[in-house]
Amino acid sequence: MSRIGIGYDSHRLVMGRPLIIGLVHVAFDYGPEGHSDGDVVAHALTDALLGAAALGDIGRHFPNNDPRWKDADSRLFLTHAVELLKHAGFRPVNVDAVVVLERPKLAPHILTMRQALADALGLPLDAVSVKAKTAEGLGAVGEGRAIEAHAVAMIETI
Ligand code: MG
């Protein structure tokens, strides 16, 4: 049996924080404010995977007032979500994400992100898609004050 889940995340961008997107460090002067590393793609994908199995959300499994997750590597969120799926009798099939960011250009990093996410999820590269868009100058994302990501995940019974 197949099931599908959706995920979304956004973070404010502030000067001097590392910019981590899709488990990859992208050189830039601004990065996401947040309790964890603020990786919007990893967080949206984690919520999509949890959502597909109706296992709650990232805030329930990784509360942002828990010091264990302070500046946490978001790879942990993904690998833990896959473990939770396994316990519930599911495995990921494929995932797709859109990251919305005005600058910098992400095209040179997309393949590296897909590879890192595929590794974390135990999926082949062709089952992991990441796409990047700008917000065309509109709103907080368009003004360079925020980053956001949308994701879907398909899972199937083991
Ligand atoms: Mg987040």
Side-chain angles (χ1 to χ4, degrees), residues 1-144:
M1 182 185 53
S2 296
R3 299 171 58 139
I4 190 166
I6 185 173
Y8 168 80
D9 193 33
S10 64
H11 283 262
R12 186 188 299 268
L13 290 173
V14 294
M15 175 84 83
R17 284 273 295 180
L19 180 59
I20 312 285
I21 308 173
L23 308 180
V24 172
H25 180 259
V26 176
F28 197 52
D29 291 339
Y30 292 79
E33 192 174 59
H35 185 73
S36 69
D37 63 14
D39 183 337
V40 286
V41 168
H43 296 178
L45 283 172
T46 301
D47 259 355
L49 290 163
L50 293 171
L55 287 172
D57 61 32
I58 196 169
R60 176 175 133 200
H61 295 284
F62 308 100
N64 65 9
N65 55 7
D66 185 332
R68 269 186 306 166
W69 311 119
K70 175 106 175 77
D71 294 322
D73 182 340
S74 292
R75 175 182 298 269
L76 289 177
F77 298 173
L78 286 168
T79 54
H80 189 64
V82 171
E83 276 303 302
L84 290 168
L85 286 182
K86 193 196 286 185
H87 286 298
F90 295 103
R91 66 177 161 226
V93 176
N94 75 296
V95 297
D96 186 18
V98 183
V99 53
V100 194
L101 177 67
E102 211 64 13
R103 287 187 312 125
K105 287 285 174 222
L106 295 184
H109 304 285
I110 294 291
L111 179 59
T112 316
M113 291 176 193
R114 291 176 56 215
Q115 280 165 337
L117 293 165
D119 277 357
L121 296 170
L123 285 172
L125 181 63
D126 67 2
V128 178
S129 167
V130 177
K131 310 186 298 292
K133 295 183 72 68
T134 73
E136 302 273 339
L138 296 170
V141 174
E143 290 164 6

